[in-house]
Amino acid sequence: MKKIFTTIFLLLTSAFMYWSCKKENLDLLPLGETEVSFYNSESDFNRSVVGIYAKLSDFYWYNGGSGLHGIWHLPGDDITMVGSDAYEIFTGLNATNGGLNEYYKQAYQLIDRANTTMQKINASDARIYSTPGLKTQHLAEAAFLRGYMHFCLYNFFGTAPVRTQRVDTPDEAQLRLSNSTGTQLLDQAITDFQTAAAGLPIAYPATQAGRITANTANGFLGKALVFRASYNQTAADFQAAITAFNKISGASLVANYGDNFSALTENNAESLFEFQATQPGFDNVWLNNDFESSGSGSTSAYWGFYENHWSRFGAPPFIATDKYVAAFEVGDPRTQFSFDTTGKAIKKYVLTDQKSQSGVASVNNPRILRYADVLLLKAEAILESGATAEAIALINAVRTRARGAGTVPADYSTSEADQAKIFAWIAKERLAELGGEEGHRWFDLKRWHAAGKINLGAWDWSSASTAGVQFDITKNLLYPLPANELDLNPNMQQNPGY
Amino acid sequence: MKKYFYPKQIRLLLTFLWALAALLPVQAQAFDLTVRGKVTDESGEALIGATVAVKGLPRGITTDTNGDFSLDVPDGNAILVVSYTGYQTREVPVAGQTTLVITLKAGTNSLDEVVVIGYGERTRKDVTGSVGSIGSKEIEKSIAAAPELALQGRLAGVLVSTPGGSPTSRPTVRIRGIGTFGNNEPLYVIDGLPITEGQSGNEGGRGGDLRGAVNLLTLINPNDIESISVLKDASAAAIYGVRAANGVILINTKRGRTGTPRIDLNASYGLQNVVNRYEMLNTSEFASFIEEAYANNPGETFNPLMRTAIDALRNSPTYDWQEENLNKNAPTSDYSARIYGGSAATQYSVSGGYSYIESPLKGNNLRRYTMATNVTSKLSNWLEAGVNYRLGYVEALDETSVGGQGFDQQQTARVSPWQPIYDPNNPYGFAPTADVTFKDNPGYDPSKTNPGAPRDIDAVNLLWGPESSSNGFAYREATDLGYQIFRNFGTAYLQLEPIQGLRFKGSLSVDYSNSNPRELAYSWRNTYFSETPGNPFALGNGQSLGSYGERNVNNFNLVKEFSVNYRRVLNNHNFDILLNAMDQRYSWYGTIAGNEQNQALDQKFWGLSSIDNRYTSTGTFREDNALQGYMGRLSYNYGGKYYADVTVRRDGSSKFAPEYRFGVFPSFSLAWRLSGEEFMQDVRFINDLKLRGGWGQLGNQETRAYAFLSTVSNTPDYSFGSGNGNGIGTLTGGVNLPDFPTRDLTWEVSTTSNFGVDLLAADNRLSFTAEYYSRLTDGILQAASLPASVGNQNPPIINIASVRNKGFEFSANWNDRLGDLGYSIGGNITTINNKVISTYQDEPLGGEGGRIEVGQSIGYLWGYKTDGIFASQAEYETWKATHDDKLINNGNAVGAGDIRFLDINGPGEGSGTIVNTPDGVIDPNDRVYLGKVVPGYYYGLNLGTDYKGLDLSVFFQGVGDVQAYNYTRSGMESLLENGLNMTTTVKNRWTPQNTNTDMPRAVARDPNNNLRFSDRFVEDAGFFRLKNVQLGYSLPRATLNRMKMQRFRVYVSATNLLTITKWSGLDPEEINTRNGSIIPPARTFLLGINVGF
């Protein structure tokens, strides 16, 4: 009897074991889609491209009080602040600077998203893309954004590495790139802008406004060529820039200069590239854009440094320098949109603003590239070829829009033949037109110094800082590469002087 | 790939073995003699439920309600083994008699103590691995809600840190050092069930947030715990394979036992207080301090908000937020009852408990209800079944952090001293932080999907300077951050013993807990009382009074186990074979939901229902895991002299890719009981002496699930389509690949060697154990830091690094009695030598607060060295002529009173290399070792004495050879104007009049970067603590017998009475608290009573 029980028990338990210990029990579904299962529809790729754009918010958001804006606004001579911010007075700038580390990191993360998107599109099944031109457009958008980041890295860090491949295996050579040399970063930007320009439409339906167009790409292509021409003194690049600028079609200067900084007139005819500031379900300015789909995070842009918002907690605002103020002729209508002449508070972006629900940040888009910038760059390129009248006409186009129905600023005489004088007009016009925007001034000063047109070694920075600017020409033309990069990458050399 | 056994083959093998076992002839055992007898204690009182067994045979019986027994033995030479909890086990030769009266002596002989070793138990003298254990007597002395704290200081090799005074927080438990970079939490096994918790090891970030603030182990009532065993080395822990690398903690709860029903009642009530306070500057000192800081940096413009605040408030009273936040005489109370008993066939235990504990800081408490029952029943002599069920319910409040930031002793101490707390004129009764005005929003359009807010903030005026602090007291009034946690825990088993010694056991266990935290917040708290005022009109279309959020977090754990155990004694050969198969599935999942449109005045009516679903949000999260394990253990001993244990476990984990999923973890241990040898019989002084050693491998699978896959993140969003009056556009979901997939990812393997000696001497009065251990953790899952230029968002996780922990453990105990006076002295000490052996590319990782570098202790402190203070401007100028400090913030304003940092290293030949030669430049190359955070040693010391009914125990605990960076002090002595208050230590700052000091000058914006991570704030974090003193009185047995009671004891207890330390903060263990909140361990005085019937 006992034996029968035993046998039955053994059979039952064997069955139980077999059932309970199937090896397949370990094959659980992952928690979401994986790289292997994703990327098999046009929509998947579109979302991948959107993911690249989204990274732009990391440069413009409030970042819980640690925004990166000082990196591009403060070093030039258009915007200043009292106090001793390292970007303003240069001393104290070093490889452990948190903002620079963050900027650098985010730039390469954007590049990685672009590289990954391109890798996936290029490897995709030919049957996935059925909409004509969409594959080329997606590749072009990715290429543009990668190029844009290389352009910025060149202007800030100069020798950061060129990254054109996604790193997804521990391949030493790819993990630890060396410094770029010369204008390699710019070269890469130019290549990417060329790819983008060839693959993008001129415009999108209104619902897609804000995507990169062929005009954006050509604008940046020309801009990067002018920059390379300044650094290398190559006439061919100036010529190529003019060709690129000429491919821009349908863009125009908007009648009202102030529309360039208003939350109500974003993505207008003058605008070639903007960061599309917005608000999610709730704009939480303490959490970045990469939030859970149902959660909150920041997709907005911060302008509190101009309006002296309480969220600065008493830290001094960014204000106009005397130099910037002086760049305007008395009565220039642009003044009222640019700053408040008494306190020198910057008015751009904050005059007609729209705050996100946070009450701290704004949905007002930073304009990254405007047609006015393109016209003045084109004037500079044309001037190099000696076509002075044509160059002056372009400056006058900007001035015509600026004065509106008024008389100031008046047109320059197109008969002026002194190239140095015309260059000075362009430089002054760029300061007046573009001051306080996107670090244009800092980039311009650096390239003009490289081209020998000005000498930053003995420069008046027009700073309001009582701490005193200590600009060291042997090192401060480039920002220090982040310590974190150097610690982990023995193939990298720090920029001179740091 | 290595060729392993496959599950199919193992199944076949097991089936074969059972069949074989079933067919084994039962050795005909003749039982010719019946022995009857009685078991009593020394006073002649019958012991009910004492176990009487025949030596060498696996089964015994228990005495009945009169203490009587009747047992068949093979012959007159048999030896009876008589044991009873709390009494010394005796071996009694039958010697031909048929009636015996056996008297047991009270008190346990440590050798006979039964130790739970995982999948079984053993007497202490037969243990070959490294297993520490404590019983309910010690557990009783801990007054904490968390069972882990009972282990504090009690066992060699186990370091339990006090998590501060909050009753909800989790202690950190580290067994024999820190073996990995990630999760160092040991595996907890409660009554045989390996428990799991989603986000275990995670305190901060989103994971920690979702895990919640309440320690899930508090759902187990310490009063229900019979013993806690800690498996420290591989040979002991190998039976838990892939999860055991950080050690295993076995918690065993109280069972029923044969005898008349008994009732145990325990009650205690105590008061808790925080002892120390930060001494802060008063208002006028604070105001002049700030003015001095600005005066010392002429390049810095006075912060206008600060200027206004000083001018208006410099004559204000000083408000002490710290004192106001204390919950003085916080009560702690605990009540529990247990009824247990049983017949020879069926034993049961039923218990219930209630505790209520308040934190010594306001806004934090824990209320716990627990119930437990277990029943085991022998249905026949070959069939046994049992069930164990446990239920815990906790209601907790955790407002130690409000509005997203800590509101602890540190935060409250740092509030600008002129900021008031209360304001009778304010409608809410509290002094607001900001004055906020509103204006209409012209863009408001309720017809849009995104209507915007009807009103926008017009202006914000921070009332108390740039560091106006959120008024946490007002926040608490307007918010409710509560938890309801329910834990259900049960095991049912069936055991067959078809032939003597062969047992088949199948069990099914479920552990399910549900945590339901909620957060209710009136929006006015976030507007007027916040240092970052939000717009209340942005909430719920401007129609809402506040927000309501709720989470539902579930932990589910299902374990199916089947085991075969065969025990046999053949002459002097003792075999014990165990085969086990386990299948475990566990998941962590939940929902998060919120509603920002609540219109009821009474918060009770707030919920997730709203009239407009635009203002509700939901989300889910989930993590699934599965494990399979096959384990075999062979234990053999020859005549109690030579021991061998061999364990092999094969585990598979769903966390890894299929081809890297399974691994084999072998271990063995050997022991030699010298005292069993003939030649030792003459050494009278030694009662028992055992040498033992073991080797084995263990795994640690605790890493991100699916790290071998690259998951698609759909978090990034971007908006297109703005323009023509629409500034917002339409948000579009994007994706990215944040991970760096590592297909060949597998678990970490730690290889442990252990050698020990156990000695019992001087008539069992002295027990001593010494052990040496060495644990090498290999293939540590390291989140490899890659250069930023790679562009990866999450670092790849790679099996790459290795860390070694080695050291000694000693424990000794002396127990003696001089007439009526009994006394004992015991102690234990553990040393740890922790060293990182390799890392990814042998490159150091981690920053200044926790550097991981080959050859150094894990997570060491790394930074600059200070070299005094520049006594004069001239001294600085001279120094500056030869030194270039690259870390200064503003070269124009450095000078006398600033700190001189040491130039130690310079760049080497190759790029990125450094040499130990000063180069005249102070730069990141000059960062050096400043201290280690893994303690070099820790110890516990017990003194006990009893006299007649009185008993007194004193328990000390300590940690040494450890440093910590005092972040709190670095904030409170930052000496730059930032608006937060400073400790009075800054009064000794450098000034031209006070030059003989090591406290630098006050200077706005810190031009010299005096605050850089340096040895200035590295302190000795060692301590010696009088942890607990307890004085009790028990009624004598005669009185008890008269009163028909088993036990009556009253006691008073004091905890954290005295701490000797060099640490300058409130408490050397303050750094262990959650999210860095400072809630120091409380000093507690407690009155309690234990009654048994």
Side-chain angles (χ1 to χ4, degrees), chain B residues 901-916:
Chain B
F901 290 94
L902 275 180
D903 174 22
I904 297 168
N905 298 317
E909 290 290 318
S911 163
T913 62
I914 55 173
V915 290
N916 191 231

Side-chain angles (χ1 to χ4, degrees), chain A residues 169-243:
Chain A
T169 54
D171 168 8
E172 273 309 303
Q174 278 301 312
L175 283 175
R176 282 160 239 277
L177 295 177
S178 308
N179 295 85
S180 62
T181 55
T183 54
Q184 278 176 349
L185 286 162
L186 264 188
D187 300 346
Q188 181 58 43
I190 287 165
T191 310
D192 283 337
F193 294 148
Q194 280 163 342
T195 309
L200 287 166
I202 292 293
Y204 295 93
T207 56
Q208 296 294 299
R211 286 192 102 112
I212 293 146
T213 63
N215 285 345
T216 320
N218 279 314
F220 257 103
L221 174 58
K223 184 165 184 164
L225 285 164
V226 170
F227 273 49
R228 190 166 71 183
S230 303
Y231 280 99
N232 291 348
Q233 278 102 64
T234 44
D237 277 345
F238 281 121
Q239 279 310 312
I242 296 165
T243 313

Side-chain angles (χ1 to χ4, degrees), chain A residues 406-421:
Chain A
T407 55
V408 183
D411 280 353
Y412 289 119
S413 159
T414 50
S415 59
E416 176 60 53
D418 180 351
Q419 283 198 26
K421 195 169 178 187

Side-chain angles (χ1 to χ4, degrees), chain A residues 352-375:
Chain A
T352 316
D353 193 12
Q354 183 180 341
K355 287 268 190 299
S356 70
Q357 314 98 320
S358 64
V360 172
S362 149
V363 299
N364 199 357
N365 294 354
R367 273 60 162 186
I368 299 171
L369 184 69
R370 292 201 283 121
Y371 192 55
D373 184 11
V374 165
L375 291 181

Side-chain angles (χ1 to χ4, degrees), chain B residues 137 255 571 722:
Chain B
K137 253 192 161 151
R255 311 266 129 180
N571 301 322
S722 63

Side-chain angles (χ1 to χ4, degrees), chain A residues 73 214 216 272 309 341 354 362 388 486:
Chain A
H73 285 305
T216 320
L272 298 179
H309 194 258
T341 34
Q354 183 180 341
S362 149
T388 51
L486 296 161

Side-chain angles (χ1 to χ4, degrees), chain B residues 685-701:
Chain B
F685 175 74
I686 290 174
N687 305 96
D688 199 85
L689 179 62
K690 183 170 68 182
L691 299 179
R692 53 188 167 80
W695 174 92
Q697 289 187 323
L698 299 167
N700 182 13
Q701 59 141 5

